[in-house]
Amino acid sequence: DKVLTELIEPYELRVAKLREFLEDVKPSLRYDIVPLVDPYGPSVTDPDLQCLVVSEETRRGGEAVNKKRLENGLPELALYEILLMKDPNHSQNEEEKISSSSLRQRLLGTLLRPPRQDPALPSRPYVIGLTGGTGSGKTSIAKLLGQLGAFLIDADKLGHAVYVPGGPAYEQVVAAFGAEILNEDGTINRKVLGAKVFGNQERLKSLTDIVWPEMARMVKEQIGEADAQG
């Protein structure tokens, strides 16, 4: 939960790298590499295990393993604690120890695989859809993309534009939901409209069936404008 899925290597590749490392350290030893499907793995069920290597950070995990082994009627494992190596080149926002989290952070922004070639997609303009909940950083990321030369299309602004008098969805929305949704100046009172559709899936669908196609058309128009601008 602390790393982009794209930065996690496939299990088979990680096993191959680990096996290569272990055999390089001591080829005469036999290694069993097993996938862990829970926090404990075979450490709490294998009666042949005798020792568990932990770090100063994971010692409590080792103690939890021994507690589980005793519950399962197995002898405790000897806990062999190793010291963590310091990372002399860590940056201010990285961990002091050598860690995979820091290494993954340094990978951010690098191209992990070539862009997918899809003959059905036009080569330009290149469209990025930016989504996320409230406070997730959409505005900040959009601003950064704009500084890099991206043409920004704000769907929230388009959502407001379709409702204004003379806007593409205005007449249809008023016809569907009645004059009681209008303010004195003729503008649509979105709070009143929202109250009409809130919790009513049928009414909400009636509204989105009117509004969304118009917004999509406006987005396509703006994409065309961006393309014309290069």
Side-chain angles (χ1 to χ4, degrees), residues 83-189:
L83 297 174
L84 293 170
M85 291 183 69
K86 301 296 181 186
D87 185 350
N89 302 313
H90 73 90
S91 65
Q92 190 175 358
N93 60 342
E94 292 178 347
E95 298 178 278
E96 287 188 9
K97 63 179 183 182
I98 291 179
S99 85
S100 57
S101 296
S102 296
L103 295 175
R104 285 192 291 258
Q105 188 155 328
R106 289 167 202 169
L107 278 173
L108 290 173
T110 59
L111 191 64
L112 299 173
R113 59 176 70 91
R116 178 171 56 92
Q117 297 299 316
D118 186 343
L121 293 173
S123 59
R124 58 188 290 273
Y126 192 83
V127 182
I128 299 170
L130 191 58
T131 68
T134 304
S136 61
K138 297 187 297 294
T139 304
S140 300
I141 297 298
K143 197 177 291 182
L144 286 169
L145 289 170
Q147 289 167 1
L148 292 169
F151 182 103
L152 298 179
I153 300 171
D154 190 328
D156 282 343
K157 288 180 181 174
L158 296 185
H160 286 277
V162 295
Y163 288 103
V164 299
Y170 178 83
E171 297 290 346
Q172 293 180 72
V173 171
V174 174
F177 293 94
E180 63 266 29
I181 67 170
L182 295 178
N183 294 313
E184 288 182 7
D185 62 359
T187 58
I188 291 175
N189 186 319

Side-chain angles (χ1 to χ4, degrees), residues 193-204:
L193 177 61
K196 276 180 170 282
V197 301
F198 183 76
N200 186 317
Q201 289 299 317
E202 195 175 321
R203 284 185 178 177
L204 180 62

Side-chain angles (χ1 to χ4, degrees), residues 31-90:
Y31 301 104
D32 288 330
I33 302 174
V34 296
L36 299 181
V37 293
D38 61 60
Y40 297 102
S43 66
V44 295
T45 56
D46 190 338
D48 296 328
L49 293 181
Q50 296 173 309
C51 171
L52 187 63
V53 180
V54 296
S55 71
E56 51 194 290
E57 282 187 337
T58 60
R59 183 171 187 93
R60 286 176 64 187
E63 291 167 353
V65 163
N66 274 337
K67 186 179 175 186
K68 280 277 187 187
R69 284 181 69 86
L70 290 175
E71 290 173 5
N72 292 341
L74 298 172
E76 288 188 337
L77 301 176
L79 298 182
Y80 181 81
E81 187 175 316
I82 58 169
L83 297 174
L84 293 170
M85 291 183 69
K86 301 296 181 186
D87 185 350
N89 302 313
H90 73 90

